[in-house]
Amino acid sequence: MHITLSSEGLTKVRFEAAPLGETVASLRALQVGTPIHRPWIEATKRRIAESPDPHARDHLRLLTALVPPKGFLADSITPTPKYQGTFTEGLAAVADVPPEVWQRDVNHLLSQNPADYAREELQRLAEDIDTGIPRITAALEWYWSTAIEPVWPRLRSLLLADIDSRLAQLARDGILEVFKSLHPSVRPTPTGLEIMRGCEADDVPEPGGGLLLVPNAFVWPNTLVLNVRPFVPTLTYAPRGVGRLWEASREATHSPVARLLGKTRAQILAQLDVPMTTTQLARCLDLAAGTVNEHLKVMSESGLAATMRSGREVFYRRAETGEALLARL
């Protein structure tokens, strides 16, 4: 698949962390049992089984019909996200996708020889897409609150850390090197990006609209490409560090590092497998936010931790010195 990028389009390349996109991609990981997400899959299956929503089973049937385990998934379920958009804003964008675009997606899914239950769901949508769209948004809202919202702070931290790293690479090496580093299947060409995939979109956007690069933990080990009107061309890729996303924090309270730094600072250092805010750390460690903040200031000044910003939020991550020290655990 080829995404055409004009000189104007290159000036409109941007990164975005998309809660709706993460939600949709996780449906595929849940169905195929992606190994690196096994802890999340097991916990999510329990939450789904315990859901008090009487329509939980229907919601899941509908969503998995739109997002099958492999191949094409409905483009309309991942419309172009807003800058720093919330899940609620993403859901509103799904509702605003024109019915004829939804109809196109449903018809294409029906042509892909879906499972029997999925065919039933898709035929029901095809017969009355106007009433089907509210059912889709209701199902997405249930699934988000059940499966993704409980872990969104950790996911978001990972995504923002990846964006921070890519922007540093952009400033250092330029956009072509950023493109080359996204995924082995992605390579820049004189006219845009080539993604090794076995499909091509027919109704591609006009060049000049830019490109959205979206880190997404659940898309690993693949990519997702959205390159069809009326959406902005979008490449979704796995962020750096995704393999450590669900790792339990290392025990540090009785280690040599704890004797050197003190137990609290050792705990904080161990907790920073993904970047976190002061509030998130305080909640995880059951400490006062002020206490955590004072420790983080000292750790940042000593080179154990470093900061990154997203809007008004400040995230802390382990610096190289902190990584080297914790490696001795």
Side-chain angles (χ1 to χ4, degrees):
M1 176 179 286
H2 190 267
I3 297 177
T4 301
L5 286 173
S6 64
S7 55
E8 180 186 1
L10 279 172
T11 69
K12 298 178 182 178
V13 175
R14 66 181 176 94
F15 288 88
E16 193 62 64
L20 176 64
E22 202 72 60
T23 303
V24 170
S26 76
L27 283 158
R28 184 159 282 178
L30 184 67
Q31 293 175 80
V32 302
T34 308
I36 66 168
H37 295 308
R38 187 170 291 117
W40 171 83
I41 290 170
E42 292 173 354
T44 298
K45 285 182 176 178
R46 287 194 299 270
R47 285 194 291 267
I48 289 173
E50 296 167 359
S51 173
D53 191 324
H55 302 293
R57 183 172 177 272
D58 294 333
H59 289 327
L60 198 59
R61 280 171 55 94
L62 176 58
L63 293 178
T64 55
L66 293 167
V67 186
K70 62 181 180 179
F72 176 81
L73 61 84
D75 294 324
S76 301
I77 206 169
T78 55
T80 305
K82 290 185 177 181
Y83 173 66
Q84 294 187 352
T86 64
F87 174 79
T88 300
E89 289 173 322
L91 204 62
V94 171
D96 287 342
V97 172
E100 60 270 21
V101 178
W102 269 111
Q103 195 78 51
R104 177 187 67 191
D105 289 349
V106 170
N107 290 342
H108 189 71
L109 282 164
L110 280 167
S111 73
Q112 301 299 299
N113 193 29
D116 290 343
Y117 86 89
R119 181 173 295 280
E120 291 176 9
E121 293 289 344
L122 293 168
Q123 286 176 337
R124 184 180 173 192
L125 285 173
E127 290 167 3
D128 191 353
I129 196 65
D130 289 324
T131 60
I133 294 173
R135 291 198 298 115
I136 294 168
T137 57
L140 282 168
E141 190 167 22
W142 165 80
Y143 181 74
W144 156 262
S145 64
T146 302
I148 301 300
E149 190 175 24
V151 296
W152 176 241
R154 189 170 183 85
L155 283 166
R156 181 170 177 263
S157 295
L158 178 72
L159 306 182
L160 293 178
D162 181 84
I163 292 173
D164 188 64
S165 171
R166 305 285 180 184
L167 292 176
Q169 183 185 20
L170 174 64
R172 183 178 65 248
D173 303 322
I175 190 64
L176 291 183
E177 293 303 314
V178 173
F179 288 155
K180 291 176 185 177
S181 71
L182 293 174
H183 191 272
S185 68
V186 178
R187 66 180 183 89
T189 72
T191 57
L193 279 186
E194 189 73 33
I195 302 99
M196 289 184 286
R197 298 177 65 87
C199 62
E200 286 289 345
D202 295 325
D203 191 17
V204 299
E206 289 292 328
L211 173 67
L212 196 58
L213 299 173
V214 180
N216 184 305
F218 289 107
V219 79
W220 184 93
N222 302 307
T223 61
L224 285 175
V225 181
L226 178 63
N227 190 33
V228 65
R229 297 180 186 182
F231 310 112
V232 174
T234 302
L235 173 61
T236 301
Y237 65 93
R240 292 165 174 155
V242 67
R244 295 165 55 185
L245 179 59
W246 310 117
E247 285 183 359
S249 297
R250 284 168 276 192
E251 173 55 46
T253 54
H254 301 293
S255 67
V257 175
R259 292 197 294 272
L260 175 66
L261 300 179
K263 289 184 178 181
T264 301
R265 287 177 188 166
Q267 283 182 298
I268 291 172
L269 191 65
Q271 195 70 36
L272 292 176
D273 285 322
V274 296
M276 303 181 83
T277 65
T278 300
T279 301
Q280 289 169 352
L281 278 165
R283 189 181 301 121
C284 287
L285 299 174
D286 197 23
L287 294 170
T291 300
V292 172
N293 190 50
E294 287 302 315
H295 285 301
L296 286 169
K297 284 182 181 178
V298 174
M299 293 169 68
S300 297
E301 291 168 358
S302 62
L304 295 174
T307 60
M308 49 177 277
R309 287 185 173 272
S310 176
R312 296 183 179 180
E313 291 182 295
V314 178
F315 288 80
Y316 290 85
R317 59 177 177 82
R318 277 199 298 266
E320 288 185 14
T321 303
E323 290 282 5
L325 186 61
L326 205 62
R328 295 181 175 272
L329 283 181

